[in-house]
Amino acid sequence: MPPRSTRLVDSLDDDDYPAYTMGRAAEMLGTTPAFLRALGEHRLITPLRSEGGHRRYSRYQLRVAARARELVDQGTPIEAACRIVILEDQLEEAQRINEELRTQGGQPPP
């Protein structure tokens, strides 16, 4: 097992490490815990739970939540904002895969 200090550095660099409490995440986003709960209800983000059952958010989840908040602030209903963010994420992933295939000389699947 790696030394404790190595594990700590690894978790600090990990975008998926659930480092932020609900209160801290809401504060960072300038929103309310209820907004974060609503994003979970609409399956945009699923926070991990601490041993005590408290929601914990990763940096990646905070970026996703921030994008949803931008859309909601522009007047988009939260349900639609969540769907838009999910579709944007899927498109970005598909584009990344296509680019990898192109650079490897392969062709994307039909």
Side-chain angles (χ1 to χ4, degrees), residues 15-69:
D15 255 4
D16 294 318
Y17 182 75
Y20 302 97
T21 63
M22 176 180 273
R24 180 68 179 129
E27 179 183 316
M28 290 170 68
L29 295 170
T31 189
T32 63
F35 179 77
L36 292 172
R37 282 191 294 275
L39 296 180
E41 290 168 12
H42 293 291
R43 296 187 178 104
L44 180 61
I45 55 176
T46 304
L48 292 175
R49 297 284 182 149
S50 68
E51 289 181 18
H54 300 282
R55 290 174 178 88
R56 305 285 296 195
Y57 297 88
S58 69
R59 287 192 311 236
Y60 172 76
Q61 289 173 325
L62 294 185
R63 283 194 302 273
V64 169
R67 175 63 180 132
R69 173 150 190 236

Side-chain angles (χ1 to χ4, degrees), residues 29-31 35 66-77 81:
L29 295 170
T31 189
F35 179 77
R67 175 63 180 132
R69 173 150 190 236
E70 286 176 16
L71 292 167
V72 169
D73 287 350
Q74 293 170 4
T76 306

Side-chain angles (χ1 to χ4, degrees), residues 69-109:
R69 173 150 190 236
E70 286 176 16
L71 292 167
V72 169
D73 287 350
Q74 293 170 4
T76 306
I78 193 165
E79 302 86 11
C82 290
R83 187 68 183 139
I84 289 167
V85 174
I86 289 167
L87 290 170
E88 288 175 341
D89 195 48
Q90 290 172 348
L91 176 60
E92 185 178 310
E93 177 68 7
Q95 288 172 331
R96 184 191 62 74
I97 291 168
N98 283 340
E99 183 59 31
E100 282 180 11
L101 290 171
R102 256 187 242 112
T103 59
Q104 296 171 358
Q107 295 295 319

